[in-house]
Amino acid sequence: MAPAAEPSAEPAAAAASLSLGTRGTRAPAAVPAAHGGGRQGAGAPAAGAGLELRPGGAPPAKDRPATATQSSVPKPGQPFPAPAFGELRQLDQAHPVVRLNTRQSAIGSLLVTGARSVAWEDEHFTTGAHHSGGHRAGTSVTTPGNRPLAGLQDGAGVVALRHVRQLRRALFIAGETPLTIGVFDGAAAAVAPRNDAGLRTVLYLARIGAVLELRAEFVPADASDLAVWTWFGFSMTLPLDERVLRH
């Protein structure tokens, strides 16, 4: 009878392209589970033994590219950095933006004095406007407390903040006096009614998640309210007759 074949002298681990190399006291590199790391066998050497297991063909840990650091660019949906409301006391072309915090955006009312008109747009794109001369356009929006979401009251633009998530954006057009913005905690900022070039100031208010952001913009001084609303994409919603809705 022919003798049984001798077992191969080459270890089975070689077929799996694994190499063992002594690295002195260097700790072994981790083996990703995708390369068959699985559960460590009972006979596997401890980390203190200074052995490194790595798949054949993969570069040593020292030759692998470094892990990318976290980007400083805001994640999608997060606003870019902006001065806090109350830190920047005056807005202008060089510093046009401030952002309220969550408390400032949700308590009491935001007041804007010096506005000749205010336009608003709610979360359902219902749009309206109120002029200091008394005339109105578009559709008013009321909160669950039966208060106007935005409008003019006692000569000042007002946004009800308790239901701020109903608001999408608002636009305040300056008259001939500075626009002054204030909130419940005493924080305030102001912007001149015109810039150095004689352009009229427009204050654009936008809701980003749970916070409000204010931006000073500038338009031709003789532009009508309707022209300004159009430039900023405010298309007045035709009000519905409530008698029709009841039927």
Side-chain angles (χ1 to χ4, degrees):
M1 175 181 287
E6 292 293 331
S8 174
E10 184 179 2
S17 298
L18 297 179
S19 62
L20 288 88
T22 305
R23 292 288 185 266
T25 58
R26 180 179 173 182
V31 181
H35 291 290
R39 187 173 58 184
Q40 186 178 6
L51 297 179
E52 178 182 88
L53 282 169
R54 58 182 175 85
K62 64 183 179 64
D63 296 330
R64 299 174 193 166
T67 303
T69 57
Q70 186 176 3
S71 173
S72 60
V73 177
K75 296 179 180 178
Q78 291 185 340
F80 60 85
F85 185 63
E87 291 181 359
L88 190 62
R89 304 287 291 184
Q90 184 169 342
L91 306 182
D92 52 30
Q93 284 186 285
H95 305 91
V97 181
V98 289
R99 188 174 297 131
L100 284 67
N101 60 36
T102 53
R103 283 175 55 82
Q104 293 170 333
S105 301
I107 298 177
S109 298
L110 178 122
L111 301 178
V112 181
T113 63
R116 80 181 188 194
S117 71
V118 55
W120 56 84
E121 184 177 82
D122 75 357
E123 59 181 342
H124 302 297
F125 302 97
T126 301
T127 307
H130 189 182
H131 191 276
S132 59
H135 64 268
R136 301 170 184 266
T139 304
S140 61
V141 178
T142 57
T143 68
N146 204 31
R147 292 182 57 193
L149 179 62
L152 287 172
Q153 182 178 340
D154 299 327
V158 182
V159 176
L161 298 180
R162 182 177 179 182
H163 303 284
V164 70
R165 287 190 178 272
Q166 282 187 251
L167 181 72
R168 186 168 181 263
R169 56 186 184 142
L171 193 69
F172 302 86
I173 302 176
E176 301 305 323
T177 58
L179 292 176
T180 303
I181 311 105
V183 292
F184 82 98
D185 64 358
V191 55
R194 303 192 188 196
N195 67 3
D196 294 339
L199 299 176
R200 187 176 302 279
T201 298
V202 173
L203 187 67
Y204 184 81
L205 173 69
R207 179 177 63 82
I208 305 173
V211 300
L212 296 176
E213 182 177 282
L214 296 167
R215 176 183 292 272
E217 303 278 2
F218 304 91
V219 300
D222 59 352
S224 66
D225 285 6
L226 180 58
V228 176
W229 298 337
T230 301
W231 293 335
F232 283 86
F234 284 78
S235 180
M236 295 296 134
T237 305
L238 293 176
L240 296 175
D241 191 327
E242 292 188 4
R243 292 173 297 178
V244 175
L245 296 178
R246 284 196 293 269
H247 291 285

